[in-house]
Amino acid sequence: MQVLRDHFEKIIPLSDAEFAYISSFFKQRKVMKKQFLLQEGDPVMHEYFVVKGCLKAYVVDSADKVHILSFALADWWTSDYQALYTHTPSSIFLEAVAPTEVYYIAQEDKERLCAEMHKVEHFWRKKNAMGYVGLQRRILSMLTHNAKDRYEQLLQQYPSLFQVVPKQDLAAFLGVSRETLSRLYSKKSG
Amino acid sequence: MQVLRDHFEKIIPLSDAEFAYISSFFKQRKVMKKQFLLQEGDPVMHEYFVVKGCLKAYVVDSADKVHILSFALADWWTSDYQALYTHTPSSIFLEAVAPTEVYYIAQEDKERLCAEMHKVEHFWRKKNAMGYVGLQRRILSMLTHNAKDRYEQLLQQYPSLFQVVPKQDLAAFLGVSRETLSRLYSKKSG
DNA sequence: AAATTCGTGTGATATAGGTCACATTACCCG
DNA sequence: CGGGTAATGTGACCTATATCACACGAATTT
């Protein structure tokens, strides 16, 4: 669990005892490519920390089209947060894009840790704040840029995504059809 | 500052002394319609809590088009968070859409309050978590719905916006041109 | 109340991107 | 290694939305 400790310690310093306590609430799980951590309708109980691999969180609309809400690479947290916080069934699928290893914690244990250790609550406040800013940037990118520019931004910001995630998934994340995405760099320009 | 106290107490109960301490860090400010709390390039030092009125946060692109990142009605927090956290100049404009009254707190005072009072850190973790979920929903809405559906969702979710905000601003928030928005409910359908 | 400015509606036209259909290639897996 | 499935490329065509231009009425300002 050293990766997890390093991850926490980027924001809050921890003694061995403190980390031992925190980590006692986490479990490990490995999923193969195309396996699910969550499917639509499932109860959502955990938040997942990706150690290696990649998860995609997506919805499927009434026309069976996939829309990707987020990718989670190593060092990212993911879940269906809306469902987690409101105790409603999952409205998303959480699926491994590649062989993936996660640590996960039950929502109630996380709340308990936050209540018991101010530091830990601080950690998650900071994480949430960063996540919020990241989503704002994505919204701004959707409002201000066309498909090609968004694709290039993504490429710049997360080059490692492109080694793991099929282009059709990137298209479903950017909000364009896979055909259009394909044409962006055959027709060429830029 | 009763509204602010009520707002905090929706999440954390406070004694008079505690609230007195918290509120000692807040100041009040009133802005008229079309006045700015932030302009692009300004240093960003505060987070704003809207007591009444409405603020819009937006960017202006190279073609002078306005893209609205968020509206803040009564009981909402707003600022340029990215700039606030990274101590960089504002990249947005924060402008009153109607006569508006805010309480505001310096970022460093907020951090201090969070460090001193676990409760307060809890409050903001919860707020951030809710905000994160809200942005995810907006992204999903942009990915899965066309302009008309998004407009109707917005209408449903924030009916009060429509009494304060001109339609061209709603268009700039939804990511459509004002002309298209105008046509959505003249051509009719739905 | 005249003059500006602001918000809105609407026509004509342009375009980015979507959809459908099929071919091609890469990737698994037995 | 050979067959099947998954991912990608590409052509032809379609559609939602953008853009430009202008008119009109409501609000603000003086």
Side-chain angles (χ1 to χ4, degrees):
Chain A
M1 296 226 167
Q2 188 59 36
V3 272
L4 189 60
R5 179 163 184 172
D6 292 345
H7 181 74
F8 274 100
E9 294 213 276
K10 271 174 211 145
I11 295 180
I12 49 169
L14 294 171
S15 69
D16 289 354
E18 283 169 336
F19 180 70
Y21 185 64
I22 291 170
S23 65
S24 73
F25 292 98
F26 282 86
K27 293 187 192 159
Q28 192 190 36
R29 180 162 170 197
K30 294 183 187 194
V31 280
M32 297 182 313
K33 195 168 165 171
K34 290 183 196 204
Q35 275 193 332
F36 294 94
L37 285 177
L38 287 177
Q39 285 186 263
E40 204 180 342
D42 286 354
V44 184
M45 243 99 77
H46 303 101
E47 186 169 351
Y48 303 90
F49 173 78
V50 177
V51 177
K52 65 168 97 152
C54 181
L55 299 172
K56 61 179 173 184
Y58 63 93
V59 298
V60 180
D61 70 16
S62 50
D64 287 324
K65 271 183 46 175
V66 167
H67 305 276
I68 297 185
L69 184 57
S70 68
F71 293 110
L73 292 164
D75 258 42
W76 280 76
W77 296 86
T78 191
S79 189
D80 180 344
Y81 289 104
Q82 162 132 303
L84 199 61
Y85 299 151
T86 60
H87 305 287
T88 51
S90 179
S91 56
I92 68 171
F93 295 87
L94 190 56
E95 179 187 336
V97 174
T100 297
E101 189 182 323
V102 299
Y103 299 138
Y104 63 99
I105 183 172
Q107 170 66 4
E108 56 178 17
D109 289 333
K110 174 180 158 180
E111 288 300 323
R112 185 161 133 202
L113 265 176
C114 282
E116 288 175 355
M117 297 177 66
H118 186 165
K119 262 187 198 179
V120 172
E121 183 125 47
H122 178 75
F123 170 80
W124 261 301
R125 178 173 68 87
K126 287 293 175 182
K127 276 286 150 201
N128 286 162
M130 291 309 170
Y132 186 85
V133 167
L135 292 189
Q136 279 199 334
R137 283 164 42 110
R138 180 160 167 214
I139 286 170
L140 224 39
S141 169
M142 295 177 88
L143 288 176
T144 58
H145 295 295
N146 62 20
K148 192 176 96 203
D149 292 348
R150 294 204 304 278
Y151 181 77
E152 274 154 24
Q153 276 189 359
L154 188 66
L155 194 96
Q156 273 233 326
Q157 213 180 344
Y158 304 104
S160 51
L161 261 189
F162 294 73
Q163 283 135 17
V164 190
V165 177
K167 299 219 173 82
Q168 57 188 336
D169 283 353
L170 298 175
F173 176 84
L174 292 170
V176 269
S177 69
R178 53 163 210 87
E179 292 95 329
T180 295
L181 185 65
S182 166
R183 285 174 182 121
L184 291 182
Y185 48 96
S186 63
K187 302 259 165 166
K188 194 60 280 271
S189 49
Chain B
M1 296 226 167
Q2 189 59 36
V3 272
L4 189 60
R5 179 161 184 174
D6 291 345
H7 181 73
F8 274 100
E9 294 212 277
K10 271 174 213 145
I11 295 181
I12 49 169
L14 294 171
S15 69
D16 289 355
E18 283 170 335
F19 181 69
Y21 184 63
I22 292 170
S23 66
S24 73
F25 292 97
F26 282 86
K27 293 187 193 160
Q28 191 191 38
R29 180 160 169 199
K30 295 182 187 194
V31 281
M32 296 183 312
K33 194 168 165 169
K34 288 180 199 206
Q35 275 193 332
F36 294 96
L37 285 176
L38 287 176
Q39 285 185 264
E40 204 180 343
D42 286 353
V44 184
M45 242 100 78
H46 303 100
E47 187 170 349
Y48 303 90
F49 174 78
V50 177
V51 178
K52 65 167 98 153
C54 181
L55 299 172
K56 61 178 172 184
Y58 63 94
V59 299
V60 180
D61 71 16
S62 50
D64 288 324
K65 270 182 46 173
V66 167
H67 306 276
I68 297 184
L69 184 56
S70 69
F71 294 109
L73 293 164
D75 258 40
W76 280 76
W77 297 86
T78 192
S79 189
D80 181 344
Y81 290 104
Q82 161 132 305
L84 198 61
Y85 300 151
T86 60
H87 305 287
T88 51
S90 180
S91 56
I92 67 170
F93 295 86
L94 190 55
E95 180 186 334
V97 173
T100 298
E101 191 182 322
V102 298
Y103 299 139
Y104 63 100
I105 183 172
Q107 169 66 6
E108 56 177 18
D109 289 333
K110 174 180 159 181
E111 289 300 322
R112 185 160 133 202
L113 266 175
C114 282
E116 288 176 356
M117 297 176 67
H118 186 163
K119 262 187 198 180
V120 172
E121 184 126 46
H122 178 76
F123 170 80
W124 261 301
R125 178 173 68 88
K126 288 294 175 182
K127 275 286 149 199
N128 286 162
M130 291 308 168
Y132 186 85
V133 168
L135 292 189
Q136 279 198 334
R137 285 165 40 110
R138 180 161 167 212
I139 286 171
L140 224 39
S141 169
M142 295 176 89
L143 288 177
T144 59
H145 295 295
N146 62 20
K148 193 176 95 203
D149 292 349
R150 295 204 303 278
Y151 182 78
E152 273 154 25
Q153 277 188 359
L154 188 66
L155 193 94
Q156 272 232 325
Q157 213 181 345
Y158 304 106
S160 52
L161 261 189
F162 294 72
Q163 283 136 17
V164 189
V165 176
K167 298 215 174 86
Q168 56 188 337
D169 283 354
L170 298 175
F173 176 85
L174 293 171
V176 270
S177 69
R178 54 163 209 85
E179 293 95 329
T180 295
L181 185 64
S182 166
R183 284 174 183 121
L184 291 182
Y185 48 98
S186 63
K187 302 258 164 165
K188 192 58 289 261
S189 49

